[in-house]
Amino acid sequence: MRRAIEMAVENARAGGGGPFGALVVKGDTIIASGVNRVTAANDPTAHAEIVAIRAACRTLATFQLTGCEIYASCEPCPMCLGAIYWARAARVYFAATRADAAAAGFDDSLIYEELQLPFSRRRIPTVQLMSAEAQQAFAEWKARPDRTPY
């Protein structure tokens, strides 16, 4: 955890992105690390946890981080938490809370609130189209005997 916090501080000082750091660890080995690169990479998904997860998956040549733990300098946002669940990490450790992040200008409360609203009430209009036609992709997927479940 100390290393994740150090990385967050270094990134904040360097101006390379937001004040966040994360590590993916398996056993006693650091598999990958990441810092927030949102503004440096012009990528809104380049949060420290996402950067670390992507690097760890490349290193391990897998899309799942089974048996790995995530150390994050701050409580993961909804996007990062979703990625952590999809990656199937074994455990998440964090230091600062989302309230601490909000006090520093990184407030995710709107996203938590929006996720609970029906599509019709969200701030970004969300409209379902061509639902029946989209089922063909799922039918093709289910018909593949060689599909990789995840």
Side-chain angles (χ1 to χ4, degrees), residues 2 39 48 50 147:
R2 188 172 317 283
T39 56
I50 301 293
R147 68 182 180 267

Side-chain angles (χ1 to χ4, degrees), residues 6 132-133:
E6 288 169 357
E133 292 84 348

